[in-house]
Amino acid sequence: MTTHETRSPAGLILPEYGRDNQSHPALNTPEYRSSALRYPKQPLPYLPQYLTEITGPLLGQDRCAERDHDLTVQHDDEPLGERIIVSGRVLDSGGKPVPNTLVEIWQANSAGRYRHQGDRHPAPLDPNFSGTGRCMTDADGNYRFITIKPGAYPWRNHDNAWRPAHIHFSLFGQAFTQRLITQMYFPGDPLFYQDPIFNSVRDEQARERMISRFDLDTTVPEWALSYKFDIVLRGPAGSVFEDEEEEDDD
C-alpha cells in the first residue's frame, strides 16, 4: 500500500493511503443500483484538520458498558435464533496487533430484519435484540462478541435479490478521520454468487478475506458455535473497507 500527500486549502499537508482499486469496490458499481445515487461525482474537498480532528475521539474502556459486547443479554429475555461467538484480532499491515481500538458491530436479527425505521421487510422484530454491540481490543489486538446469527433478507436490488447473512464492523483509530467499515460474511453462503455488494470486490482473494471461518476450538460446548474473523487494516492482506460516503444499512 503506497502513500502520497495532499495539500489542503489551509496549507496543511495531509498523508493519504493510495486506493487499492483491485480489491476495493468501484465508487460507481452499476450492479449495486443505489450506488449511482451515492458515489461522489465531483472531486472531494479536503477539509483542514485541526487539533480536534487529529487527536479525537478519546476512545477507551469507559466507552463500553459491561454488556456491550454480548448482544444476547442486553434485554429482559434472550433473543431468538442461533447463538454464536465472533472473535478475532485487529492487525496492522505488518501483522502486529492493534490494541485499545474501538470495534463496533451492527446486524439484522435472526429473521433478517434490522431494528431501524427504514427496514420494512415483513419479518418479525425481536424485542430482545437491538443488533448493535461494541468492545475494545485488548493488548494483543483481540476482540470478542456474543450475538445471534443474522438471517438473509430481500433488498429489491434486482429480481429475487437477497443479501447473504452478514455483520457490519466499524473500527476507530486514534482520530475521527480514521474510521473504517467492513462486512463479515459466513462460510458456504449460497447467496454469494448473486450479491452485487460482495462481488463488487473484484479480487477473489480479497473477497475471501471478508468471509469468516468456523472455529471449533473456540466454541462453547452445548452453548454456542464460534467464528473467527481477523481484520487487517492495511497492506497486501488488508481487509476490504467501505468508503464512508457509501455507508448504509445494506
Side-chain angles (χ1 to χ4, degrees), residues 67-85:
R67 295 185 170 188
D68 280 356
H69 74 288
D70 189 342
L71 284 67
T72 68
V73 297
Q74 296 173 352
H75 300 276
D76 292 337
D77 294 309
E78 289 189 284
L80 299 174
E82 178 189 346
R83 186 191 296 113
I84 61 172
I85 299 166

Side-chain angles (χ1 to χ4, degrees), residues 154-169:
W155 64 306
R156 299 181 180 178
N157 184 78
H158 52 275
D159 182 54
N160 200 18
W162 292 77
R163 290 240 48 219
H166 61 279
I167 297 176
H168 298 265
F169 275 74

Side-chain angles (χ1 to χ4, degrees), residues 27-97:
L27 295 178
N28 181 22
T29 302
E31 294 81 8
Y32 177 17
R33 288 167 48 188
S34 58
S35 71
L37 302 175
R38 295 175 176 171
Y39 80 96
K41 298 177 177 61
Q42 301 295 329
L44 299 180
Y46 288 93
L47 300 178
Q49 297 183 24
Y50 298 112
L51 187 62
T52 299
E53 286 78 26
I54 63 176
T55 62
L58 298 177
L59 302 173
Q61 290 294 345
D62 59 332
R63 291 296 183 108
C64 299
E66 182 180 357
R67 295 185 170 188
D68 280 356
H69 74 288
D70 189 342
L71 284 67
T72 68
V73 297
Q74 296 173 352
H75 300 276
D76 292 337
D77 294 309
E78 289 189 284
L80 299 174
E82 178 189 346
R83 186 191 296 113
I84 61 172
I85 299 166
V86 177
S87 62
R89 302 179 74 197
V90 179
L91 306 169
D92 67 14
S93 59
K96 296 180 180 179

Side-chain angles (χ1 to χ4, degrees), residues 193-207:
Y193 81 96
Q194 61 89 66
D195 183 58
I197 295 181
F198 178 77
N199 289 294
S200 68
V201 178
R202 289 157 289 180
D203 182 88
E204 183 176 356
Q205 292 182 338
R207 285 198 302 272

